[in-house]
Each structure stands twice: as structure tokens, then as C-alpha cells.
């Protein structure tokens, strides 16, 4: 052995002694008095739902290094975020080796392309070995911040017949193209503060109304302290007198949200409202998202406005936001019958108007809109979520 090698061995030996000494100080046998650290879990994590943030790391901090291995028991619990939909649920334990004072607990979130509310889950430390949870059960909140703009629409729900005995499909918009068909639809613009005291500003922007995945999408958005939405109408483009009309739609929901599928008489620009007549095929007040209303408005002039109508409700806690339903009228010279998913729930005959003129005997055009606020629905509050959307699969007219 050379002199050089001998010196190196002495150094290694000295190093080994010091290293072993450190281990003995830091990690004691089970029967030695233990240093019991306090564990806290002080940091909430808030991050956008992106691939870069796919793993939320929650730091665990101890007030001193442990002299034994510490075991922490933890689990996720849902708040507004849902297990297996928004994050991967965990219920596990973490071993923190003696001599360390911090660690991370990881929760994987689920990244998709669809718009969601910002959603929260809890990560709870439920127990510990060789450590104390400072102040009892410790928890941190994970907030998954939305970064998407694509609205997901279910395809589930009721579908109406493609034909009826003795009737012919005279017109439909199936919304199966790439854009709103301007041979069928034009836009109402503005409207904030119109007669119903609505809040929304109707636009022709492609983020308030667009065609995607076979549906017309009308999207009400919160933009600062105001709201935008869209109102499409077929005036001068597609107007019909009588027929079976089917509209398949998923509706928005929430306090102050007011979707409608309705019609006005084609003489609206000259005769005015309500003399032109109004047929509400569907109106839903978002705070009662299980009830649709069928209504007609009439009267020789505004001072003689009158209306009759009736609602019908889904059962078992279902809402019109859950899946598609078909809103229909059967309209002929004998009157109008409203149907929900092919079941009639209300009818009127011409004598319903009493001494007022009966206006439902000439062509009408369609209006499709999502209003925000108004005298009937009231106004959005803290429970109202945005964006809210109405998806329309088709509008069909059979005669
Ligand atoms: Ca998303
Ligand atoms: Ca369609």
C-alpha cells in the first residue's frame, strides 16, 4: 500500500466516524426519548388547469427535524371539484424520514379542454405517527382555476320524430355546419335596459353565439360588472303560419338567467307588440330550472296587453340543464297546443283572446335568446355561475 493510499483510508475512516455520529444524533432507536415535531400544512394551492400544473404539490412543514420516521395520513375530499372528474382522489400515507423537516403531498388534477368554474378540493391530514398535527386536523385547499373556453354539451336526452303522418318537413336548421346560417338568422343587438329591465348586452360576437358539434350555442357571459349574450331572430328570413314546430335544446340555469324560444308575428315592425302576437314555445326562469312555460301574448295595443299560459315541470329533481328536451307546439287554425317531449301540457283556442283581436293566424318568425336579469327572473346573485349556455340541436317546422 502506498503512502498516498494510506492517507486516503484515514480520511475515509474519519469521514465515516463523523457521518455515523450524525446518524446517531438524528435517528434514535425506538426506545430513546423522541423529539416529537409539530406538523402544519400551511399552503393552499391555486393554479390553472394546465399540463404544467397537473400535479399540485402541498408542502408539509415541521417545526423541528424529527429523530424518528414520521408517518402522515392524508386524503382528498371534494368541495366544488369532483373526485375522478376534476382530480384523482387519494387516501394514503407519507413517510418523512428522520432528520428532515419538510415534505410535499402531491395531488394530480384532471386536465381537459372544457370550460368549468374555478373548483376547489380539500387535502386533509387525518393523522400522524411520531408527530403532532398542530392545532388538530390540518387541511389545505386546492383551487383548480379554469383556463378553457370550450363548452361541453351532452348528446343525451329526448329526441323527437323526424316525420309525422300527413305532414312534411318544410324547413329546419339542424345547426350541423360550421357557422350560423345567415340565410336563417339575424341578430338583435344591445338590449341592456330594455322594457323588461334586462341586464345583458346582446352581441353578434362569436363567443356569444356560434355553431359547434351540431348545436347552436348561445352563451351568456359575465364580463366585469356587465353581461353579454345573444338573441337570434329569423325575421324576414324564415317565417311560418301553422305547423308542428320542434326545438331540441339544453338550457342554462341559475338565479337571474332567462332562456327563451319564442315567436313574434311578422307584422311586428308595423303593428307593434303585442298586436303582432307572441307565442312563447319555451321560457324557463333559471332559478326554477325544472319548469318550462308556454304562453301567448296578445292585445289590440300595448295598453290592452293580455296573456295566458301554463307551465309544466320535470320530475325527480331533473332540470332542463341536465340533458336535451324537445319543446314543441302544434299550431293550426283551431289553436295552439304546447308539448314537452311529445307530451301535450297546454292548449288554447281562438276564443281565448275574448274581445281582443286573435293575431295567431298569419306568419310568425323565431327568436332564440338567453337573457340575464329582468323583472320576471330577477337578477343574478352569488349563486349564479357563468358562462351560461343554451344549446339548440335543431329547429324544425312540419306542415
Ligand atoms: Ca377544463
Ligand atoms: Ca344538430
Amino acid at each position: 500500500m502506498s503512502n498516498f493510499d494510506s492517507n486516503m483510508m484515514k480520511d475515509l475512516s474519519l469521514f465515516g466516524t463523523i457521518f455515523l455520529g450524525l446518524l446517531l444524533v438524528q435517528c434514535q432507536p425506538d426506545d430513546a426519548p423522541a423529539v416529537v415535531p409539530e406538523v402544519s400544512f400551511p399552503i393552499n394551492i391555486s393554479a390553472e388547469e394546465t399540463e404544467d400544473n397537473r400535479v399540485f404539490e402541498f408542502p408539509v412543514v415541521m417545526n423541528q427535524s424529527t429523530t424518528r420516521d414520521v408517518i402522515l395520513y392524508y386524503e382528498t375530499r371534494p368541495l366544488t371539484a369532483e373526485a375522478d372528474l376534476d382530480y384523482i382522489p387519494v387516501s394514503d400515507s407519507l413517510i418523512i424520514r428522520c432528520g428532515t423537516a419538510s415534505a410535499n403531498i402531491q395531488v394530480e388534477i384532471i386536465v381537459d379542454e372544457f370550460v368549468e368554474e374555478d373548483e376547489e378540493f380539500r387535502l386533509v391530514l387525518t393523522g400522524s405517527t411520531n408527530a403532532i398535527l398542530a392545532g388538530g386536523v390540518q387541511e389545505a385547499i386546492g383551487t383548480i382555476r379554469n383556463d378553457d373556453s370550450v363548452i361541453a354539451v351532452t348528446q343525451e336526452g329526448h329526441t323527437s320524430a323526424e316525420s309525422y303522418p300527413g305532414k312534411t318537413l318544410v324547413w329546419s336548421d339542424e345547426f350541423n355546419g360550421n357557422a350560423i346560417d345567415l340565410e336563417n338568422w339575424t341578430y338583435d343587438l344591445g338590449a341592456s335596459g330594455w322594457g323588461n329591465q334586462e341586464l345583458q348586452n346582446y352581441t353578434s360576437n362569436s363567443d356569444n353565439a356560434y355553431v359547434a358539434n351540431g348545436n347552436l350555442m348561445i352563451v351568456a357571459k359575465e364580463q366585469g360588472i356587465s353581461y353579454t349574450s345573444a338573441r337570434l331572430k329569423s325575421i324576414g328570413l324564415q317565417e311560418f303560419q301553422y305547423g308542428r314546430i320542434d326545438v331540441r335544446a339544453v338550457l342554462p340555469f341559475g338565479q337571474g338567467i332567462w332562456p327563451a324560444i319564442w315567436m313574434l308575428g311578422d307584422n311586428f315592425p308595423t303593428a307593434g307588440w303585442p298586436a303582432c302576437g307572441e307565442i312563447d314555445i319555451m321560457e324557463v326562469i333559471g332559478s326554477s330550472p325544472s319548469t318550462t312555460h308556454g304562453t301567448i301574448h296578445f292585445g289590440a295595443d300595448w295598453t290592452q296587453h293580455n296573456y295566458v299560459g301554463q307551465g309544466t315541470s320535470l320530475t325527480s329533481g331533473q332540470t332542463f340543464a341536465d340533458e336535451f328536451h324537445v319543446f314543441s307546439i302544434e299550431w293550426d287554425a283551431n289553436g295552439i297546443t304546447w308539448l314537452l317531449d311529445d307530451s301535450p301540457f297546454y292548449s288554447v283556442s281562438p276564443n281565448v283572446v275574448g274581445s281582443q283581436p286573435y293575431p295567431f293566424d298569419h306568419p310568425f318568425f323565431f327568436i332564440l335568446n338567453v337573457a340575464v336579469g329582468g323583472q320576471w327572473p330577477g337578477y343574478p346573485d352569488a349563486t349564479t355561475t357563468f358562462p351560461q349556455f343554451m344549446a339548440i340541436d335543431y329547429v324544425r317546422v312540419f306542415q
Side-chain angles (χ1 to χ4, degrees), residues 152-170:
V153 181
T154 178
Q155 295 303 313
E156 302 295 310
H158 189 80
T159 300
S160 53
E162 295 188 357
S163 63
Y164 297 95
K167 289 189 166 72
T168 303
L169 180 69
V170 295

Side-chain angles (χ1 to χ4, degrees), residues 70 147 288 298:
V70 163
D147 73 320
S288 300
F298 52 90

Side-chain angles (χ1 to χ4, degrees), residues 306-383:
N306 206 341
Y307 64 93
V308 293
Q310 189 163 302
T312 189
S313 296
L314 300 173
T315 56
S316 309
Q318 301 172 77
T319 80
F320 290 107
D322 297 337
E323 60 179 20
F324 278 99
H325 290 274
V326 179
F327 305 91
S328 306
I329 57 170
E330 286 179 343
W331 172 31
D332 61 23
N334 298 316
I336 305 169
T337 293
W338 283 257
L339 307 91
L340 173 63
D341 296 338
D342 297 313
S343 296
F345 66 90
Y346 183 53
S347 293
V348 296
S349 55
N351 63 17
V352 73
V353 300
S355 61
Q356 295 293 324
Y358 182 77
F360 306 102
D361 56 357
H362 63 92
F364 275 54
F365 62 89
F366 290 102
I367 304 177
L368 313 171
N369 69 290
V370 177
V372 180
Q375 287 168 341
W376 189 20
Y379 294 90
D381 63 19
T383 66

Side-chain angles (χ1 to χ4, degrees), residues 124-296:
V124 182
L125 297 183
T126 54
S128 60
T129 301
N130 294 335
I132 295 169
L133 299 183
V137 172
Q138 288 273 315
E139 76 168 45
I141 303 291
T143 302
I144 308 168
R145 298 205 310 269
N146 177 65
D147 73 320
D148 296 313
S149 58
V150 177
I151 292 173
V153 181
T154 178
Q155 295 303 313
E156 302 295 310
H158 189 80
T159 300
S160 53
E162 295 188 357
S163 63
Y164 297 95
K167 289 189 166 72
T168 303
L169 180 69
V170 295
W171 175 77
S172 76
D173 196 331
E174 303 287 327
F175 304 112
N176 289 343
N178 296 318
I180 292 170
D181 186 343
L182 298 179
E183 295 188 358
N184 293 338
W185 306 104
T186 184
Y187 297 89
D188 270 327
L189 300 177
S192 178
W194 277 3
N196 292 310
Q197 307 301 322
E198 298 162 19
L199 296 178
Q200 80 292 315
N201 181 35
Y202 287 128
T203 81
S204 57
N205 295 341
S206 60
D207 52 350
N208 289 121
Y210 58 93
V211 167
N213 303 312
N215 299 312
L216 170 67
M217 304 291 292
I218 295 180
V219 184
K221 303 180 72 171
E222 185 176 32
Q223 299 189 309
I225 58 167
S226 62
Y227 305 93
T228 59
S229 185
R231 177 156 125 167
L232 274 62
K233 57 185 179 179
S234 66
I235 187 169
L237 298 168
Q238 303 296 342
E239 299 177 334
F240 303 94
Q241 178 179 354
Y242 302 146
R244 158 102 186 202
I245 295 166
D246 292 329
V247 185
R248 185 173 192 251
V250 177
L251 304 184
F253 64 95
Q255 170 62 36
I257 304 294
W258 183 9
I261 296 167
W262 51 301
M263 306 181 82
L264 286 176
D266 64 350
N267 57 342
F268 168 66
T270 52
W273 184 91
C276 64
E278 173 181 330
I279 304 172
D280 300 323
I281 301 171
M282 177 287 293
E283 286 185 284
V284 165
I285 297 307
S287 55
S288 300
S290 304
T291 302
T292 179
H293 303 266
T295 310
I296 50 171

Side-chain angles (χ1 to χ4, degrees), residues 49 86 110-116 119 144-148 150:
E49 185 204 87
D86 301 309
I110 297 173
V111 176
D112 63 32
E113 65 182 20
F114 299 115
V115 64
E116 291 151 291
E119 293 169 323
I144 308 168
R145 298 205 310 269
N146 177 65
D147 73 320
D148 296 313
V150 177

